[in-house]
Amino acid sequence: CRQLFCSPSVPGSVPRPVLKRGQPSDRDSPAKAKRQRRVAGTPGQEASVELVGDGEGVGSAQLEEIKNLLASDDQELIGDFSKPHLLPTVDGKDPGLKYISPGTLEAVLTGHFSSFIESSIIVDCRYPYEYEGGHIKGAVNLPLQRDMEEFLLEQPIVPLDSSKRVIIIFHCEFSVERGPKMCKFLRERDRSCHEYPQLHYPELYVLKGGYREFFFQFPSHCEPRDYRPMEHLAFKEELRKFRGQSR
């Protein structure tokens, strides 16, 4: 079977960010009659890292590792095969997906990749009661497939600056089931809208360890600064309801 992210042998309520809208691309198929939201791609640009802020949470050794990975010639290409993945990846449960560490997400949030990323969208696939109990700042809560289609595919996000990228980072509580499944769902739906290998969103990642791991490492990037597990005893009815909707 072809893996979703590796090159094949032949080749609740959701708060929205304020995004500018542009005209649709002629290349887009079913979605081309719709207006597109403009937001983040980096064709042919040589990779480097812009360091901003005080770099808290990212040591000099990690930054050097990021620079080395970006300069590597053997990186796998993103979903439309136009360029290598920007973010350094780590091994994860599903070899067909690209996983990043909590430290890499923290580096994105603090602007260490701002030279190359126009917009980073963090998709929290947990149920609303989990999200309300604590989430990564700026994350959007998309627990159901219809939420994903409405937010990302009805009016796709495209770059204002063609030299920069839109990246999407998925997670759930542990990033073992809901986050990876939603990441695969978006890629499959995106593929079905285009002539291969074109995509609205060629660069997708999964946060390894999920919200739980990120919260314990970087609680200052979470609001409220708390963690509510999926199987919280006070939310049994909500869990039953959302599991039913997910099916």
Side-chain angles (χ1 to χ4, degrees):
C1 296
R2 294 181 179 176
Q3 295 178 335
L4 292 173
F5 290 81
C6 298
S7 303
S9 57
V10 179
S13 300
V14 178
R16 287 178 174 272
V18 178
L19 302 172
K20 296 184 179 180
R21 301 184 184 275
Q23 294 301 318
S25 167
D26 291 336
R27 295 176 303 173
D28 301 330
S29 46
K32 70 180 178 183
K34 298 179 179 290
R35 289 182 303 167
Q36 295 182 323
R37 285 178 297 156
R38 291 198 160 260
V39 190
T42 298
Q45 184 174 0
E46 195 169 317
S48 64
V49 178
E50 178 186 6
L51 304 184
V52 297
D54 57 9
E56 183 179 355
V58 182
S60 58
Q62 183 179 356
L63 290 174
E64 187 63 32
E65 180 183 2
I66 290 172
K67 291 178 184 178
N68 292 337
L69 283 165
L70 291 175
S72 173
D73 291 331
D74 58 359
Q75 285 181 278
E76 292 184 37
L77 300 179
I78 60 176
D80 62 2
F81 314 130
S82 62
K83 61 185 75 72
H85 286 82
L86 175 66
L87 302 182
T89 58
V90 295
D91 291 337
K93 180 180 179 181
D94 189 328
L97 301 176
K98 296 299 180 185
Y99 292 80
I100 62 170
S101 69
T104 295
L105 176 55
E106 198 271 348
V108 171
L109 294 173
T110 52
H112 286 76
F113 295 91
S114 60
S115 293
F116 304 100
I117 297 175
E118 186 172 308
S119 178
S120 55
I121 303 164
I122 302 170
V123 177
D124 189 329
C125 302
R126 296 176 302 157
Y127 301 136
Y129 67 88
E130 298 173 83
Y131 177 87
E132 292 162 4
H135 58 269
I136 298 169
K137 292 178 181 178
V140 292
N141 187 210
L142 306 177
L144 303 175
Q145 291 182 353
R146 63 173 180 263
D147 299 327
M148 178 73 62
E149 290 185 292
E150 179 182 350
F151 188 84
L152 291 172
L153 293 175
E154 286 190 3
Q155 297 183 55
I157 300 169
V158 296
L160 283 170
D161 182 346
S162 62
S163 71
K164 292 193 173 185
R165 309 183 186 211
V166 171
I167 66 168
I168 304 180
I169 301 166
F170 293 82
H171 76 83
C172 52
E173 184 175 4
F174 304 105
S175 287
V176 170
E177 184 174 354
R178 291 173 289 174
K181 280 185 177 180
M182 196 69 80
C183 185
K184 289 182 176 181
F185 173 74
L186 177 62
R187 175 53 54 82
E188 290 166 356
R189 291 290 294 112
D190 200 356
R191 283 275 186 229
S192 71
C193 296
H194 293 87
E195 181 179 346
Y196 186 85
Q198 295 176 11
L199 290 165
H200 287 308
Y201 305 109
E203 192 157 5
L204 309 181
Y205 299 95
V206 175
L207 173 64
K208 187 172 183 178
Y211 179 76
R212 183 182 185 277
E213 187 63 32
F214 186 87
F215 171 74
F216 286 125
Q217 291 190 34
F218 303 105
S220 65
H221 286 287
C222 302
E223 59 180 8
R225 196 178 291 194
D226 203 357
Y227 161 45
R228 181 178 291 166
M230 181 183 74
E231 296 186 350
H232 194 291
L233 294 177
F235 295 91
K236 285 184 176 181
E237 183 59 27
E238 286 87 345
L239 174 59
R240 185 193 65 78
K241 179 183 73 174
F242 279 101
R243 274 183 167 167
Q245 291 179 343
S246 297
R247 296 192 189 98

